[in-house]
Amino acid sequence: MSQADWESEFLKYKSSPEFAMLNSRMTLDEFKSIYWMEWIHRIWGRAIGITFLLPAIYFTARGRMTKSLTLKVWGIAGLIGFQGFLGWWMVKSGLKDDLFAPGSTPRVSQYRLTAHLGAAFVVYLSMLWNGLTTLRDNRFQTHLTHQEAQASLQAFRNPALRTFKLATLSLFALTFVTAMSGALVAGLDAGLIYNEFPYMGLGLTPPKSELFDTFYSHVPANDKGEHTDLVWRNMFENPSLVQLDHRLMATTTFTAVMALFAWSRSSAHLQKILPANAKRAVHGVFGFAWLQVILGISTLLYLVPVPLASAHQAGALALLSWTMVLGSRVHMSRASIKTLEYFAKHGRLGTRNVAIHQNVAVAEAAQKVQKALGAKVRQPQSANASQRVVGQSGVTPAAV
């Protein structure tokens, strides 16, 4: 961009509420830094959309995906487009004229910011879940033996594992909601107050009059002097209560992780039925929970520096990811169960007789001998019969 272009963009920014009320002394060089940050974020988002959309079109056109997976992929593509709309909708909320009014804070809506972040998390987690299930189903078809398939099916159907599945699902939901409460903290700059832990001022919580302040109510008091929107308005718009809520939810999430870890380690019965990869995933959740708590407290104590705040947000996504990995190792969709049932019953190729495998092996051995000797040796009749059977099933000997 030329100097004239920069001056033009800077002039547009000067007309915004943020410049007039917060950054009136900002120089052109300082404006360039926030401009490039926003520009890179937008280009990065568009690049994500393109790199997802083009392969989706290719694999759909070539028929490389099942009908179920095709629907899921295009559902994620739609979410990516919706995420772009939410980003525009969020930015627009920070440019409204009423933000010039006395007492207003020039920032984007914390509701729209939370929606934008939540949609981004949903897009990422949808990709992760479908990727994990696709890799698992592929492993069933290529690496799992007949005995392993039967053992896995029996483990997943164990009623004793149902409680652990519900606990994992509940932990995932709790972690997600806690992350969204963190978005409200960011949207209200609530991390810039009460920069201490575990206290908030003179006690563990601020005074009740501060937590439920009538200042945030938009509804006049009724005959009893009550504001009907007092509680929920303060929960989402009062920085003091928003920070307290986030602290309580984060503490609850951390406690739930520790409880799940202790349960998985102390229960002898759970140790027997829990898959080995699920045990490793529990350790991953345990480790990232500790890391996230350390990052959160550090971010608060050091007055929310951008690198620490970014690491704290990334830590939330990492903890969510490992919780989902744990869920994928103890929970299976109906389609995955049907796949596993098929291989447990019929073997990897679903052939009707174990003798077919033996005959195909004989045929392959005969072919190798022919090639090595360079002679035209007639193949055994059993091998020819096996080739005919396998040919009718649509599976080549090489695939076996």
Side-chain angles (χ1 to χ4, degrees):
M1 293 174 62
S2 65
Q3 185 65 20
D5 292 333
W6 279 116
E7 293 289 350
S8 176
E9 293 296 325
F10 192 30
L11 186 62
K12 294 176 184 177
Y13 178 68
K14 287 181 177 179
S15 64
S16 68
E18 185 177 77
F19 179 85
M21 303 181 68
L22 292 180
N23 299 326
S24 58
R25 295 184 179 181
M26 179 178 282
T27 64
L28 180 60
D29 289 337
E30 291 172 334
F31 168 72
K32 288 180 180 180
S33 66
I34 65 171
Y35 182 93
W36 282 118
M37 188 179 297
E38 176 66 20
W39 183 83
I40 291 172
H41 178 70
R42 295 188 183 192
I43 294 300
W44 189 265
R46 293 168 185 172
I48 291 174
I50 293 174
T51 54
F52 187 89
L53 184 61
L54 292 180
I57 294 174
Y58 171 80
F59 287 115
T60 302
R62 301 278 296 184
R64 297 294 182 88
M65 298 184 292
T66 63
K67 183 178 179 180
S68 174
L69 185 58
T70 301
L71 292 175
K72 293 175 183 177
V73 165
W74 284 105
I76 295 174
L79 283 174
I80 293 175
F82 181 62
Q83 166 70 355
F85 165 77
L86 286 177
W88 167 83
W89 186 55
M90 179 193 70
V91 171
K92 185 180 179 182
S93 67
L95 301 174
K96 295 188 297 183
D97 291 337
D98 58 2
L99 293 177
F100 286 106
S104 298
T105 303
R107 59 185 173 216
V108 298
S109 166
Q110 73 272 21
Y111 297 108
R112 300 187 187 188
L113 174 65
T114 303
H116 185 49
L117 181 67
F121 274 32
V122 169
V123 168
Y124 165 78
L125 293 171
S126 299
M127 292 181 180
L128 178 62
W129 178 260
N130 283 285
L132 290 172
T133 53
T134 300
L135 289 173
R136 182 184 60 198
D137 290 350
N138 181 68
R139 177 178 173 274
F140 288 163
Q141 300 179 43
T142 56
H143 294 87
L144 215 61
T145 64
H146 181 69
Q147 292 78 10
E148 289 174 338
Q150 290 178 328
S152 298
L153 187 62
Q154 185 177 4
F156 277 110
R157 283 178 168 175
N158 194 322
L161 196 60
R162 184 176 303 171
T163 305
F164 189 84
K165 293 178 183 179
L166 292 175
T168 303
L169 179 61
S170 300
L171 177 61
F172 175 80
L174 180 61
T175 306
F176 183 84
V177 174
T178 302
M180 294 304 100
S181 72
L184 289 174
V185 172
L188 291 170
D189 292 325
L192 297 177
I193 59 175
Y194 293 115
N195 299 103
E196 53 193 339
F197 190 86
Y199 293 101
M200 296 182 71
L202 299 178
L204 293 175
T205 66
K208 184 178 179 181
S209 58
E210 180 183 339
L211 295 177
F212 299 97
D213 194 340
T214 56
F215 172 80
Y216 297 97
S217 175
H218 294 191
V219 178
N222 56 23
D223 297 338
K224 298 180 181 180
E226 299 174 344
H227 299 265
T228 56
D229 64 342
L230 181 65
V231 175
W232 78 264
R233 284 285 183 183
N234 277 273
M235 287 183 63
F236 293 105
E237 299 179 9
N238 183 344
S240 298
L241 185 53
V242 166
Q243 189 191 122
L244 177 61
D245 288 342
H246 185 59
R247 288 186 182 210
L248 293 175
M249 296 194 70
T251 304
T252 304
T253 302
F254 178 75
T255 304
V257 172
M258 296 303 106
L260 186 72
F261 177 77
W263 182 29
S264 67
R265 297 277 295 178
S266 62
S267 174
H269 182 62
L270 193 59
Q271 282 284 322
K272 292 180 181 179
I273 63 174
L274 202 62
N277 58 357
K279 296 177 184 178
R280 293 192 295 269
V282 171
H283 283 82
V285 173
F286 175 84
F288 275 102
W290 272 104
L291 176 62
Q292 180 65 348
V293 166
I294 294 171
L295 287 172
I297 296 175
S298 300
T299 301
L300 186 66
L301 296 180
Y302 287 96
L303 300 177
V304 198
V306 173
L308 263 179
S310 300
H312 185 46
Q313 187 179 76
L317 194 60
L319 180 57
L320 265 173
S321 299
W322 269 100
T323 307
M324 177 164 282
V325 169
L326 173 59
S328 71
R329 293 176 179 180
V330 297
H331 174 79
M332 291 182 64
S333 64
R334 292 181 180 178
S336 297
I337 290 178
K338 287 182 179 179
T339 301
L340 194 58
E341 286 176 342
Y342 179 83
F343 293 121
K345 184 177 181 180
H346 301 286
R348 191 186 308 173
L349 296 175
T351 49
R352 293 167 298 185
N353 199 314
V354 179
I356 293 180
H357 290 284
Q358 298 173 347
N359 290 333
V360 170
V362 172
E364 290 181 336
Q367 290 174 355
K368 290 180 180 179
V369 171
Q370 288 179 357
K371 187 175 181 180
L373 299 178
K376 296 182 178 180
V377 181
R378 185 177 181 179
Q379 296 183 358
Q381 185 176 359
S382 59
N384 293 332
S386 66
Q387 287 180 329
R388 287 195 298 272
V389 174
V390 174
Q392 292 172 1
S393 65
V395 182
T396 62
V400 180

